[in-house]
Amino acid sequence: AGARASAMDMLARREHSERELACKLAGRGYDESVVGETVSGLVADGLLSNQRFVESFVHSRYQRGQGPLKIRAGLRERGIDDDAIGACLDTYAGEWRELASRVREKKFGTALPGDYRERSRQMRFLQQRGFDAEQIRSVLRDDV
């Protein structure tokens, strides 16, 4: 019951992926078989869901102004498969360009970069935030 209680405490704070929760429980010294049973039990009871975790993770990162590439990398790190990631990111499909534009304006103001050096700087910034080349180009295009 100790492992389940610990897991419930962690889940009360925020959603976790199955891998993330298993690693945290193992880190607290629980035996591998106990960790496996606990995670399986929580999944079976509907208390642990990779799907809910993905939705919550994508939403929170989107709110922070992170792009799809960075979000995908974060989810992969936490043991989420590409199908689940793709399905959730697709729900935001029409919004990435708009988000990239808002993120750029918040950092650099409304005026588009005037020279190559400044344009490169803004492109690097957006790349670090996880936006892809097409989204960045469309944000920095003058005619949009």
Side-chain angles (χ1 to χ4, degrees):
R4 187 175 173 96
S6 285
M8 294 295 289
D9 286 347
M10 289 180 237
L11 289 170
R13 286 185 210 100
R14 70 169 176 83
E15 293 284 348
H16 286 68
S17 70
E18 292 171 29
R19 181 195 288 175
E20 207 176 19
L21 193 65
C23 288
K24 284 187 176 183
L25 290 172
R28 292 190 176 182
Y30 291 106
D31 187 65
E32 198 176 308
S33 62
V34 172
V35 169
E37 283 173 31
T38 303
V39 168
S40 301
L42 290 168
V43 169
D45 295 342
L47 299 170
L48 178 62
S49 159
N50 274 349
Q51 178 63 38
R52 269 198 323 264
F53 170 73
V54 169
E55 289 167 7
S56 152
F57 188 91
V58 170
H59 180 75
S60 75
R61 295 312 197 271
Y62 178 87
Q63 294 300 326
R64 289 191 210 166
Q66 292 183 0
L69 302 178
K70 189 168 188 169
I71 294 172
R72 180 181 299 273
L75 286 167
R76 278 193 184 134
E77 239 171 57
R78 288 162 177 83
I80 304 298
D81 67 271
D82 283 338
D83 292 341
I85 296 171
C88 194
L89 289 178
D90 287 348
T91 61
Y92 289 86
E95 301 172 43
W96 294 118
R97 189 204 161 283
E98 177 60 34
L99 178 65
S101 181
R102 283 199 311 266
V103 167
R104 190 202 72 78
E105 276 188 25
K106 184 176 177 187
K107 173 100 172 150
F108 300 105
T110 53
L112 285 167
D115 62 358
Y116 179 77
R117 190 160 168 244
E118 180 58 22
R119 182 181 171 87
S120 297
R121 190 168 87 94
Q122 292 188 20
M123 287 174 91
R124 278 193 306 277
F125 170 75
L126 290 170
Q127 274 177 325
Q128 287 171 335
R129 291 303 284 268
F131 295 99
D132 68 30
E134 181 51 44
Q135 291 157 346
I136 293 169
R137 269 196 306 275
S138 72
V139 166
L140 292 175
R141 211 176 279 141
D142 301 336
D143 57 346
V144 173

